[in-house]
C-alpha cells in the first residue's frame, strides 16, 4: 500500500478515534439528567477513559516497538469500537464508567503507534505538516462526536448515539490488520535491541532527557485544558450562553472543525518552516500558540464571546502536529513508540485525568463559567514548559536515531 493510502487510512481512524472519545461530551446534559449526576460525577467519565488510556499506552508502546505496530493499532481500534457500542447498554453511571474505561484501553494501543508509523513513512522535514494533517482527526472527529451526540441524543436518546458511532471503527480495524507496511518508524537500521534490559535502559534514558521531560510537562498543560474544554463546552453554552442542547453541539462542533481545518495544518507548516531556520523552531511556535490560546480563552469566557472562543481553539489546535514532531525530534528512533507512550502517560496523568474532575468539582461549588476561566493557567504553564524544552534541546537533540547538537 502506498504511503498516501496508509496516511488516509490512519486519518480516518483518527477521526473515528476522537468521534468515539467525545461522543460523551455531546450527550453530557442528557447523562446529567438521566443519572441525576453532579458535574464532578460527569467529569469522572473523562477520568475513567484517561486512566486506562494512560496506563496501558506504555506496554502497548513497548510491544509495538518489537512486533508489528499496525497490528497493535488494529487491535486497539477493535477494542474501542466494541466498548463504545456497549456504552449504549449502561444501566448506571458506574457501568458507563467501566465501558468508557475500555474505550481508553483500545485507544491507548492506537495512540502508542499511529504517530510513529506515519513518521516513518515520510521525510523528517515534513514531519510536522504530516502529523498536523493526521491530527485533523482531533477537531473533525471531536466535533463530529459532540455534534452527533447532541443531535442524535436530542432526537432518539443518548443510548442510540453510543450505539451508532461504534460500528465504523470495526471496518477500519480489519483494514489496518491487513496492511502490508514494508517500513515503519521502527525500520531495519533503527530497530530496538531485544530484551527487557534494553526496555529499562531506554526508558531510563528518556527520563534523563531534559528536553523530552519538559515537552511532556508542556503536553500535560495542554491536556489539562483541552480535555476540560471539550468535555464541558457544550454544557457551558447551554447554561451561560442560552443555547439549546442541539445548538450547543452545533456551535461547539463548528468551532472545532473550522479551527482545526485551519489550525492543525497551519501550525504544522509554520513549525516545519521555523524548524528549518532554527533547530528550536517547533518549541517556539508551541510557546507562541499556547500563550495566544490562553489569552483568547480568558476573554472569551469573561465576555461570553464566541469569536474569542474560536480563536482560542484555533491557536490551541495549531499545536497538534508540532508537539508530536517535537517529541520525536528529541527521542532516539528505536524508542519512538515507547517515548510516545510515556508522553501519553505523563500528559494524561498530570493533565486530563485530574483536569475534568477538578473543573467539575470547582464548578459544583462556584459555577462552570468560573471553573473554565481558570484554564488559561495550565495553558500558560504549557507555553513556558515548551520554551524551556526548546532551550534545553541542545543538551540532547535527536535526529533520525542519532544524537546531535542543535
Amino acid at each position: 500500500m502506498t504511503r498516501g493510502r496508509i496516511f488516509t487510512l490512519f486519518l480516518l481512524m483518527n477521526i473515528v478515534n476522537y468521534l468515539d472519545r467525545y461522543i460523551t461530551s455531546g450527550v453530557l446534559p442528557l447523562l446529567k439528567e438521566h443519572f441525576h449526576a453532579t458535574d464532578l460525577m460527569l467529569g469522572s467519565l473523562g477520568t475513567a477513559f484517561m486512566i486506562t488510556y494512560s496506563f496501558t499506552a506504555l506496554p502497548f508502546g513497548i510491544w509495538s516497538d518489537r512486533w508489528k505496530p499496525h497490528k497493535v493499532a488494529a487491535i486497539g481500534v477493535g477494542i474501542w469500537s466494541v466498548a463504545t457500542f456497549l456504552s449504549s447498554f449502561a444501566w448506571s453511571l458506574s457501568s458507563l464508567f467501566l465501558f468508557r474505561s475500555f474505550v481508553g484501553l483500545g485507544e491507548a494501543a492506537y495512540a502508542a503507534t499511529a504517530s510513529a508509523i506515519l513518521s516513518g513513512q515520510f521525510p523528517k522535514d515534513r514531519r510536522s505538516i504530516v502529523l498536523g494533517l493526521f491530527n485533523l482527526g482531533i477537531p473533525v472527529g471531536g466535533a463530529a462526536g459532540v455534534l452527533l451526540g447532541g443531535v442524535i441524543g436530542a432526537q432518539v436518546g443518548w443510548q442510540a448515539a453510543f450505539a451508532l458511532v461504534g460500528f465504523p471503527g470495526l471496518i477500519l480495524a480489519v483494514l489496518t490488520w491487513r496492511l502490508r507496511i514494508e517500513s515503519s518508524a521502527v525500520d531495519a537500521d533503527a530497530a530496538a535491541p531485544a530484551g527487557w534490559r534494553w526496555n529499562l535502559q531506554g526508558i531510563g534514558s528518556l527520563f534523563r532527557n531534559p528536553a523530552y521531560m519538559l515537552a511532556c510537562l508542556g503536553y500535560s498543560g495542554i491536556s489539562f485544558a483541552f480535555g476540560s474544554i471539550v468535555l464541558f463546552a457544550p454544557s457551558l453554552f447551554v447554561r451561560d450562553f442560552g443555547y439549546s442542547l442541539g445548538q450547543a453541539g452545533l456551535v461547539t462542533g463548528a468551532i472545532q472543525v473550522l479551527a482545526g481545518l485551519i489550525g492543525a495544518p497551519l501550525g504544522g507548516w509554520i513549525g516545519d518552516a521555523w524548524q528549518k531556520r532554527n533547530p528550536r523552531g517547533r518549541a517556539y511556535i508551541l510557546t507562541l500558540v499556547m500563550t495566544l490560546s490562553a489569552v483568547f480563552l480568558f476573554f472569551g469566557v469573561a465576555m461570553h464571546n464566541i469569536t474569542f472562543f474560536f480563536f482560542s481553539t484555533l491557536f490551541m489546535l495549531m499545536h497538534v502536529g508540532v508537539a508530536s514532531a517535537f517529541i520525536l525530534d528529541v527521542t532516539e528512533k528505536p524508542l519512538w513508540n515507547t517515548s510516545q507512550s510515556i508522553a501519553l502517560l505523563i500528559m494524561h496523568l498530570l493533565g486530563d485525568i485530574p483536569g475534568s474532575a477538578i473543573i467539575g468539582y470547582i464548578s459544583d461549588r462556584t459555577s462552570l463559567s468560573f471553573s473554565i476561566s481558570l484554564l488559561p493557567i495550565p495553558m500558560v504553564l504549557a507555553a513556558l514548559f515548551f520554551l524551556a524544552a526548546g532551550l534545553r534541546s541542545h543538551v540532547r537533540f535527536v535526529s533520525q536515531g542519532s544524537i546531535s547538537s542543535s
Side-chain angles (χ1 to χ4, degrees), residues 48-133:
F49 169 91
M50 287 302 173
I51 287 175
T52 52
Y53 179 72
S54 303
F55 283 97
T56 58
L58 179 56
F60 279 127
I62 294 173
W63 183 22
S64 59
D65 274 331
R66 276 147 188 81
W67 193 46
K68 299 178 180 180
H70 66 282
K71 290 191 180 294
V72 177
I75 292 171
V77 177
I79 292 173
W80 94 52
S81 299
V82 171
T84 299
F85 176 77
L86 291 177
S87 297
S88 65
F89 295 96
W91 59 91
S92 66
L93 207 60
S94 297
S95 63
L96 186 57
F97 186 99
L98 177 64
F99 291 134
R100 299 310 292 173
S101 296
F102 277 100
V103 174
L105 174 68
E107 290 196 20
Y110 172 77
T113 57
S115 293
I117 290 172
L118 289 178
S119 294
Q121 300 296 312
F122 294 89
K124 183 192 173 187
D125 60 3
R126 297 176 59 192
R127 188 178 295 162
S128 289
I129 186 63
V130 168
L131 294 180
L133 291 171

Side-chain angles (χ1 to χ4, degrees), residues 235-316:
S235 297
L236 176 69
F237 293 157
V238 169
R239 298 183 199 179
D240 290 8
F241 285 54
Y243 292 127
S244 67
L245 176 60
Q247 290 172 333
L250 182 61
V251 170
T252 306
I255 289 175
Q256 287 188 44
V257 169
L258 184 57
L261 289 175
I262 298 172
L266 180 61
W269 179 78
I270 296 174
D272 283 341
W274 204 336
Q275 188 77 8
K276 290 177 182 178
R277 291 168 174 78
N278 189 311
R280 300 184 182 90
R282 288 183 178 132
Y284 293 159
I285 185 63
L286 289 169
T287 303
L288 176 62
V289 298
M290 290 312 302
T291 301
L292 291 173
S293 181
V295 171
F296 277 105
L297 177 62
F298 178 82
F299 286 106
V301 174
M303 301 172 64
H304 290 185
N305 189 303
I306 290 295
T307 301
F308 284 1
F309 264 95
F310 167 77
F311 279 106
S312 177
T313 307
L314 173 68
F315 288 115
M316 170 75 77

Side-chain angles (χ1 to χ4, degrees), residues 119 123-128 131 206 209 211-212 215 271-272 274-276 278-283 285-286 321-333 336 339-340 389-390 393-394 396-406:
S119 294
K124 183 192 173 187
D125 60 3
R126 297 176 59 192
R127 188 178 295 162
S128 289
L131 294 180
L206 293 173
N209 184 338
Y212 173 78
D272 283 341
W274 204 336
Q275 188 77 8
K276 290 177 182 178
N278 189 311
R280 300 184 182 90
R282 288 183 178 132
I285 185 63
L286 289 169
V322 186
S324 296
F326 184 78
I327 289 288
L328 298 177
D329 286 342
V330 296
T331 306
E332 294 179 2
K333 196 171 184 180
W336 270 5
S339 68
Q340 290 284 329
S393 64
H394 69 282
R396 187 176 179 82
F397 195 89
V398 181
S399 174
Q400 298 295 340
S402 61
I403 302 173
S404 62
S405 176
S406 61

